[in-house]
């Protein structure tokens, strides 16, 4: 490295100060700034022939004097976009480029600005500094579109993800935050991963995305540069070499193959990132604080802390690939302007990200020039060096493969890839640690590998009931398992030719000895297993669904439609998810689900399995009551429902439930209203066997749109209760068809109806608050019982809405009319239950409902006739209860005057205690006949059906 | 211990204090399926395997003895937290660190009955013993500072067991000082003090406030 780069003074400074430099996109201009200088300079390089002497062009630069204090940051928009500058004077200004005309002030901060960044399209400018927020400014109308708060120290580096999903920022404490641009949320917070410069303001931490957006470079703590994964924020690898002090600045080559870094040790290094090897270096007199690659050529602009800049031509040796090769240019004609001999263009103008594997291979093909350089450097190490690099390439490939297997989000998003088969509730193998082969609400199957064979243990959570299962030594290397009360099934994939795929079933309790059995598969591999009542299912690589009985009899062999993804069994039902076709071009998978009833040999569900875009299936299973659910990698639980002819309802989203960023939810199961999961602290995404994981219960919540009502919780409850109710009603219907006893279910349905009514009353109350009268009326129509309808009338009376009062009374009247039309008393119990499935509540049969108005009206003897009366005489009496309500309300209005609106909810609970209230009212009003009459009726159980039975 | 000079004056015995502490709530992870228990002190459960729920300590210990649950160690009983507390106790000779009011009793019960559920149980045991010793040493050295002019002693964050040990002694000391300060009331004070030591004569304020945070 004999030649020393000559630097030319651009900014005058007495003390070291942070300076920056940026290239124009066509390489014709260069903009520089310095923190101790108020000027921004635009140097024209194209006017005289581009200098190869290492010095910049001679013509005098355009000077922009708009800042009052030193300029700390500059950033250039895409393709001749505006130039932005930020300064100690707290302002951000925009200029045209390369003309340098002042376009305006973008924003002002309360403290100095330290960092600026444009996004790739130039529509957003991010600015940050000592203020506590990062401002995102739309460059079209210069409005602040978002302020991102989360850093505890001055933000010194910003970088927009080239794919425009994220913004990465770093502060002087060395904390890096990934922000999601669409929501403004913090995705990952990586604390103290970069050097802490909080006490030293002359050095600013920076960070930068690789131009393909796949990784983020951040200065590391050990004089290195560390690469972090785009999506997960995990550390990928680091570039460590000849820097003797911390890296303070770096810049990616336009194609992302090379990285230029400058350290506090006054060196600038050029790295080949794929090989993780430094290929060139240069020492300077002063620390270089600004670096910028020429967008269209092999040149690097550098600026040091004394405000002197220069252009380093050919930092990448001519024998190696050009730093611009493989870049998609915006303007093709630019390509031919610059005729650097080492520019190999048009060979493969493709997106870098699309051909990563390709690049790796090319990297190994282009091997000799690199090793030649290494020979020069440390001659005798040639062989070793080559091997090392080869190994590196190899390990890198392996890593990518394993990532693919894991189904990493990054890979998934980029290349459309179909996910592999998985066993729900299993965790990946870990060296020397026990892993779950299967974890359900019932128990778990764990395995620990030890010297070529493993120990498999089966544990039930409920130690009181589950059988004790002796542990087992497994010579097959089982990786799949399924478990239920009566047994467990284990299977292993084939490993080479010797080790065939085996399926083994162990019953836990059997009257005969040796009832364990196993099956071997030649040239076929078990992919997933499932277990149900008296059957075992396995789906294999030949897309066969093989069904065995509990004793090992081969019962059925079916072909499934595609490569299997997952399977789950419960009772008679077996669900199998397969790939329906290759992924869409956007990367979304197309999965198909079929549910079989094994005992009846029928197919109950067949259709597509919905997934959140860009996610993959991570769990599939049945709840205890036999409902099917699926969970995807974006954390959404969907439950299959018969509504709308069979559809999947999203009932839970991790996004909403997540309490803190570093929690991952590993689903175990669900029931009618709750999700059971294990909370894992990031970065762990799955639980370990020891210590025993503890389940966490999360309530379901629908992905509701945020409504104007401001009662999200109640709305959610409404949705969920409705769903539950419809499920139960369906079950009642099914059971009735078989002529089974449904009393307990009826009880359950009734209590759900009451719950739903309470919820609707709350909604009516909040509708009244926010003046949504039509919605309130609609809600009133949904009320199940007349009792709650009366409660609703009380609510609207209290909130002084006579219109609604009128409407509700009409609804009540209609209800009563409808009721009287239905033939009574109902002779057959079953038809009565049918009625419970309609909106018309079965409750109307209970005299308690009708009693209220009558008691108040002091005509208690109308109760009986009302039930038994013929439709003709009913019309007469219909007026009565209605008018009595009015009277009642008139009385109530006085009482309600002093009631505050806030007590509305209390009113809603009125419904619940109404039985008692009425008796109280009756007692107070002093009519002894009323109390006498009321009392015996109060003994009637709340369940209306019990009453009906007595009647019949 | 040192403070328990006169048994008849001690308000509670150690066993009684422990009995009171057994009403503290603690989280358990049952390994059985059981319906909710409807007890006089409240409803607990339902118990589902591997799903944590909160129960009183006595119930937790009873279930643990039968092997029906594992007890989740409270946050403050981790080695990390206890180390912090111990350090802070040593650093500040005049203050007590905030710990649960019944920390001595709870830790004792857990160490006796649920030692297999506590990670690093030996470390925890020795840390708690150290903390107890440091704190009691503080109490004792604080007693030395009581003089004739002391009318009240304020001890913030003192725990149940600690205060139970020193309360009778301290009250008597304060009363004795007060008595000697005012010789004319000796007769009267003597008579009443022997009967009911807690009775405060002539505006003497004896306040032992135990504030748990």
């Amino acid at each position: 490295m004999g030649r020393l780069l000559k630097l030319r003074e651009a900014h005058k400074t007495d003390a070291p100060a942070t300076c920056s430099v940026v290239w124009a996109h066509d390489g014709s201009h260069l903009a520089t700034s310095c923190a101790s200088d108020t000027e921004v300079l635009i140097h024209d390089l194209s006017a005289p022939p581009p200098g190869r002497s290492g010095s910049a062009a001679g013509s005098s630069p355009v000077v922009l004097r708009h800042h009052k204090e030193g300029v700390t940051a500059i950033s250039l928009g895409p393709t001749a976009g505006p130039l932005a500058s930020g300064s100690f004077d707290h302002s951000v200004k925009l200029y045209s480029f390369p003309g340098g005309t002042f376009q305006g002030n973008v924003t002002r901060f309360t403290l100095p600005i330290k960092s600026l960044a444009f996004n790739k399209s130039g529509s957003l400018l991010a600015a940050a500094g000592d203020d506590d927020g990062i401002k995102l400014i739309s460059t079209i109308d210069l409005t602040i579109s978002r302020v991102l708060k989360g850093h505890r120290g001055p933000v010194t580096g910003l970088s927009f993800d080239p794919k425009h999903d994220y913004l990465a920022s770093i502060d002087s404490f060395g904390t890096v935050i990934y922000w999601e641009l669409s929501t403004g949320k913090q995705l990952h917070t990586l604390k103290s991963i970069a050097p802490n410069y909080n006490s030293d303001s002359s050095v600013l931490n920076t960070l930068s995305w690789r131009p393909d957006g796949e990784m983020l470079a951040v200065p590391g703590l050990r004089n290195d540069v560390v690469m972090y994964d785009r999506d997960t924020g995990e550390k990928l690898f680091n570039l460590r070499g000849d820097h003797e002090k911390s890296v303070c600045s770096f810049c990616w080559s336009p194609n992302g193959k090379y990285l230029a870094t400058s350290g506090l040790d006054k060196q600038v290094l050029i790295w080949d990132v794929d090989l993780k090897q430094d290929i060139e270096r240069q020492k300077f007199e002063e620390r270089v604080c600004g670096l910028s690659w020429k967008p269209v050529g092999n040149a690097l602009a550098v600026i040091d802390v004394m405000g002197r800049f220069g252009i380093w031509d050919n930092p990448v040796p001519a024998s190696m690939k050009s730093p611009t090769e493989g870049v998609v240019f915006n303007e093709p004609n630019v390509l031919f302007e610059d005729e650097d001999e080492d520019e190999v263009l048009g060979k493969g103008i493709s997106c870098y990200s699309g051909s990563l594997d390709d690049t790796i291979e090319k990297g190994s093909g282009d091997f000799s020039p690199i090793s030649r350089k290494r020979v020069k450097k440390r001659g005798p190490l040639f062989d070793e060096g080559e091997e090392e690099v080869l190994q590196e390439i190899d390990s890198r490939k392996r890593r990518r493969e394993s990532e693919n297997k894991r189904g990493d989000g990054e890979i998934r998003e980029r290349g459309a890839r179909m996910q592999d088969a998985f066993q729900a509730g299993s965790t990946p193998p870990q060296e020397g640690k026990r892993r779950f082969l299967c974890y359900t609400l019932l128990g778990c199957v764990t395995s620990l590998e030890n010297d070529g064979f493993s120990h498999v243990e089966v544990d039930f959570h409920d130690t009181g009931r589950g059988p004790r299962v002796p542990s087992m030594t497994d010579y097959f290397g089982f990786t799949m398992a399924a478990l239920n009360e009566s047994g467990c099934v284990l299977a292993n994939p084939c490993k080479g030719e010797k080790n065939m795929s085996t399926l083994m079933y162990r019953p836990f309790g059997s009257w005969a000895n040796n009832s364990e059995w196993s099956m071997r598969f030649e040239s076929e591999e078990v992919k997933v297993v499932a277990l149900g009542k008296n059957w075992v299912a396995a789906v294999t690589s030949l897309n066969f669904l093989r069904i065995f009985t509990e004793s090992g009899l081969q019962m059925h062999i079916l072909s499934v439609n595609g490569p299997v993804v997952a399977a789950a069994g419960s009772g008679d039902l077996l669900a199998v998810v397969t790939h329906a076709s290759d992924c869409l071009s956007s990367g979304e998978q197309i999965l198909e689900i079929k549910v079989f009833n094994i005992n009846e040999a029928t197919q109950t569900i067949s259709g597509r399995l919905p997934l959140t875009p860009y996610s993959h299936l991570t769990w599939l299973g049945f709840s205890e009551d036999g409902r099917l659910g699926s969970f995807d990698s974006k954390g959404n639980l969907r439950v299959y429902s018969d509504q709308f002819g069979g559809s999947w309802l999203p009932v839970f989203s991790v996004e909403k439930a997540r309490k803190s960023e570093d929690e991952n939810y590993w689903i175990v199961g669900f029931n009618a209203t709750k999700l059971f999961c294990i909370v894992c602290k990031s970065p762990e995404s799955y639980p370990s066997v020891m210590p025993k994981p503890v389940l966490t219960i999360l309530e379901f919540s629908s992905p509701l749109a945020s409504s104007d009502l401001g009662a999200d919780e109640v709305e959610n409850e409404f949705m969920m209760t409705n769903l539950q109710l419809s499920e139960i009603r369906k079950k009642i219907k099914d059971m009735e068809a078989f002529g089974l006893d449904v009393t307990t279910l009826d009880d359950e349905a009734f209590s759900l109806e009451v719950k739903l009514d309470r919820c609707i009353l709350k909604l009516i109350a909040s509708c009244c608050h926010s003046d949504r009268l039509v919605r309130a009326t609609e809600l009133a129509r949904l009320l199940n019982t007349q009792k709650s309808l009366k409660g609703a009338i009380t609510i609207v009376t209290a909130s002084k809405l006579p219109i609604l009062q009128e409407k509700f009374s009409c609804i009540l009247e209609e209800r009563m009319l409808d009721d009287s039309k239905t033939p009574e008393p109902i002779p057959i119990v079953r038809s009565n239950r049918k009625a419970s499935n309609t909106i018309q509540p079965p409750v109307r049969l209970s005299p308690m409902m009708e009693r209220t108005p009558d008691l108040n009206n002091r005509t208690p003897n109308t109760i009986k006739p009302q039930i038994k009366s013929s439709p003709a005489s009913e019309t007469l009496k219909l007026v009565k209860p209605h008018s009595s309500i009015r009277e009642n309300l008139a009385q109530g209005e006085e009482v309600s005057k002093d009631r505050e609106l806030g007590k509305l909810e209390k009113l809603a609970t009125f419904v619940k205690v109404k039985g008692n209230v009425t008796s109280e009212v009756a007692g107070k009003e002093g009519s002894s006949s009323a109390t006498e009459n009321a009392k015996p009726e109060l003994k009637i159980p709340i369940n209306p059906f019990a009453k009906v039975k007595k009647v019949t | 211990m040192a403070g328990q000079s006169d048994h008849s004056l001690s308000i509670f015995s150690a066993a009684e204090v422990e009995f009171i502490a057994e009403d503290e709530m603690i989280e358990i992870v049952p390994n059985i399926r059981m319906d909710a228990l409807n007890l006089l002190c409240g409803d607990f459960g339902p118990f589902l395997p591997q799903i944590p729920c909160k129960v009183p300590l006595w119930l937790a210990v009873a279930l643990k003895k039968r092997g029906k649950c594992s007890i989740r160690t409270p946050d403050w009983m981790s080695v990390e937290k206890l180390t912090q507390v111990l350090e802070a106790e040593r650093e500040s000779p005049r203050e007590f660190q905030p710990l649960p009011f019944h920390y001595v009793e709870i830790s004792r019960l857990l160490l006796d009955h649920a030692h297999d559920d506590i990670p690093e149980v030996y470390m925890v045991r020795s840390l708690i013993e150290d903390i107890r010793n440091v704190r009691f040493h503080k109490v004792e050295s604080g007693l030395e500072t009581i003089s004739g002019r002391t009318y009240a002693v304020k001890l913030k964050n003192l725990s149940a067991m600690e205060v139970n040990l020193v309360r009778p002694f301290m009250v008597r000391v304060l009363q004795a000082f007060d008595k000697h300060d005012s010789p004319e009331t000796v007769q009267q004070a003597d008579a009443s003090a022997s009967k009911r030591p807690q009775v405060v004569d002539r505006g003497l304020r004896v306040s032992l406030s135990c504030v748990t945070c």
Side-chain angles (χ1 to χ4, degrees), chain B residues 56-200:
Chain B
L57 191 53
W58 61 264
L59 183 56
V61 170
L63 286 172
K64 177 75 196 174
K65 274 184 187 163
R66 285 162 182 76
K68 303 293 186 202
C69 74
S70 60
I71 299 179
R72 295 188 90 182
T73 320
D75 283 341
W76 58 266
M77 250 180 96
S78 66
V79 171
E80 190 191 359
K81 278 273 164 62
L82 289 174
T83 319
Q84 280 173 14
V85 169
L86 182 61
E87 266 171 33
E89 289 285 2
R90 286 189 171 142
E91 273 165 22
S92 55
R94 309 205 62 84
E95 279 176 17
F96 295 95
Q97 294 305 308
L99 273 174
F101 188 52
H102 292 291
Y103 85 96
V104 180
E105 302 91 307
I106 295 175
S107 58
R108 178 63 192 268
L109 279 168
L110 292 189
L111 286 169
D112 282 357
H113 299 290
H115 48 85
D116 49 339
D117 293 334
I118 305 170
E120 299 174 81
V121 59
Y122 290 106
M123 195 69 186
V124 169
R125 188 191 292 271
S126 68
L127 276 169
I128 286 179
E129 253 161 44
D130 287 353
I131 290 173
R132 258 180 70 185
N133 290 340
V134 171
R135 285 170 69 116
F136 203 78
H137 178 73
K138 269 190 226 177
V139 174
E140 281 178 333
S141 58
L143 287 179
E144 288 170 14
T145 63
I146 297 180
S147 68
R149 279 181 293 282
T150 315
Y151 290 100
V153 181
K154 193 178 179 192
L155 294 166
K156 215 181 163 191
N157 289 336
L158 207 60
S159 79
M161 198 61 101
E162 290 156 351
V163 82
N164 191 52
L165 285 179
V166 296
R167 196 198 319 254
F169 175 72
M170 227 177 223
V171 171
R172 286 240 305 174
V173 164
L174 288 174
Q175 278 173 343
F177 275 125
D178 183 60
K179 195 166 68 185
H180 297 307
D181 268 1
S182 43
E184 70 274 13
T185 60
V186 166
Q187 268 338 85
Q188 188 202 347
D190 218 14
S192 64
S194 58
K195 272 186 213 155
R196 297 176 60 197
Q198 275 78 30
V199 171
V200 180

Side-chain angles (χ1 to χ4, degrees), chain A residues 379-523:
Chain A
L381 294 177
F382 175 82
D383 287 340
E384 220 174 276
E386 180 172 337
E387 230 160 61
E388 199 177 284
V389 176
L390 270 173
Q391 265 171 9
E392 260 170 39
I393 291 167
D394 216 41
S395 70
R396 196 174 150 79
K397 270 188 180 167
R398 262 207 304 273
R399 190 176 59 80
R400 294 212 86 87
E401 269 164 25
S402 70
E403 261 176 19
N404 291 350
K405 260 188 197 153
R406 236 195 308 145
D408 210 287
E410 169 202 349
I411 306 291
R412 189 156 309 285
E413 272 171 44
R414 203 186 57 213
R417 184 173 278 273
M418 287 151 59
Q419 74 179 97
D420 285 337
F422 70 94
Q423 197 72 34
S426 66
T427 57
Q430 283 165 293
E431 197 64 41
K433 270 174 115 182
R434 199 162 266 279
R435 63 178 282 215
F436 286 116
L437 295 182
C438 165
Y439 191 102
T440 65
L441 285 175
L442 187 73
C444 58
V445 182
T446 57
S447 138
L448 174 69
E449 192 173 332
N450 193 359
D451 295 337
F453 56 90
S454 30
H455 292 282
V456 174
E457 276 178 21
V458 180
D459 291 297
F460 286 90
H461 299 322
D462 188 344
T463 50
R465 283 183 206 185
R468 281 202 164 273
V469 184
S471 82
M472 174 177 98
T473 311
D474 144 37
Y475 299 97
F476 298 99
F478 292 134
T479 60
M480 293 161 262
L483 172 79
N484 71 4
E485 293 87 347
S486 49
C488 76
V489 60
L490 296 150
N492 65 307
C494 51
K495 267 189 280 174
E497 306 225 325
K498 271 184 277 171
N499 204 342
M500 268 187 283
S501 184
T502 313
L503 180 80
M504 180 188 254
Y505 178 75
R506 297 182 76 196
F508 294 143
S510 176
W511 53 269
N513 289 333
N514 203 10
S515 44
E516 184 175 299
W517 53 265
S518 59
M519 301 276 162
R520 312 229 283 165
F521 299 95
E522 273 184 52
S523 64

Side-chain angles (χ1 to χ4, degrees), chain A residues 126-313:
Chain A
D130 294 354
D131 276 26
D132 67 339
I134 301 167
K135 284 188 188 174
L136 294 184
I137 301 140
S138 159
T139 51
I140 299 154
D141 50 0
L142 299 187
T143 52
I144 293 171
S145 62
R146 198 163 249 150
V147 180
L148 307 173
K149 290 191 178 177
H151 277 291
R152 303 202 179 277
V155 178
T156 57
L158 291 166
S159 181
F160 273 101
D161 157 34
K163 293 185 186 166
H164 202 67
D165 290 332
Y166 311 123
L167 171 73
S169 61
I170 187 167
D171 61 24
S172 56
F173 291 111
T175 299
V176 172
I177 298 183
Y178 281 53
W179 306 88
E180 192 173 44
L181 285 173
S182 53
T183 59
K185 274 188 195 157
Q186 298 184 23
L187 284 182
H188 308 289
T189 305
L190 312 171
K191 279 196 178 141
S192 307
I193 57 165
N196 187 334
Y197 294 122
N198 197 38
S199 50
D200 179 10
S201 60
S202 69
V203 187
L204 301 179
N205 268 328
T206 59
L207 78 179
S208 179
W209 290 95
R210 191 158 87 170
D212 63 2
E214 289 303 322
M215 54 182 81
L216 178 72
V218 178
L221 297 167
R222 302 191 301 169
N223 310 338
D224 54 353
V225 177
V226 187
M227 303 297 165
Y228 291 88
D229 186 78
R230 164 192 179 79
D231 296 295
T232 60
E234 283 167 8
K235 185 175 168 179
L236 292 176
F237 58 90
N238 63 350
L239 300 178
R240 197 154 172 231
D242 287 332
H243 274 303
E244 285 145 23
K245 285 181 186 171
S246 293
V247 174
C248 62
S249 171
F250 44 78
C251 184
W252 287 96
S253 73
N255 65 358
K257 190 164 166 52
Y258 303 102
L259 184 73
T261 62
S262 97
L264 296 178
D265 55 359
K266 300 172 187 173
Q267 285 192 93
V268 172
L269 264 67
I270 310 290
W271 301 80
D272 185 317
V273 178
D274 293 331
L275 302 176
K276 295 170 210 158
Q277 178 66 47
D278 54 321
I279 51 174
E280 189 63 281
R281 72 164 114 178
Q282 182 118 235
K283 228 174 152 56
F284 291 85
E285 292 165 32
E286 288 295 336
R287 175 161 63 85
V288 171
C289 56
L291 295 165
S292 180
W293 284 88
K294 189 171 185 179
V296 285
N298 190 356
L300 181 72
V302 296
I303 189 161
D304 70 10
V305 286
M306 301 310 288
R308 295 177 302 177
F309 83 104
I311 294 163
W312 178 2
D313 275 321

Side-chain angles (χ1 to χ4, degrees), chain A residues 439 441 461-465 624 676 692-695 697, chain B residues 29-34 48-52 67-68 72:
Chain A
Y439 191 102
L441 285 175
H461 299 322
D462 188 344
T463 50
R465 283 183 206 185
E624 252 171 59
F676 300 97
K692 250 188 169 182
V694 169
L695 295 178
I697 306 176
Chain B
V29 182
N31 55 20
I32 45 153
R33 188 178 284 266
M34 187 163 72
L48 295 168
Q50 290 310 111
I51 295 172
K68 303 293 186 202
R72 295 188 90 182

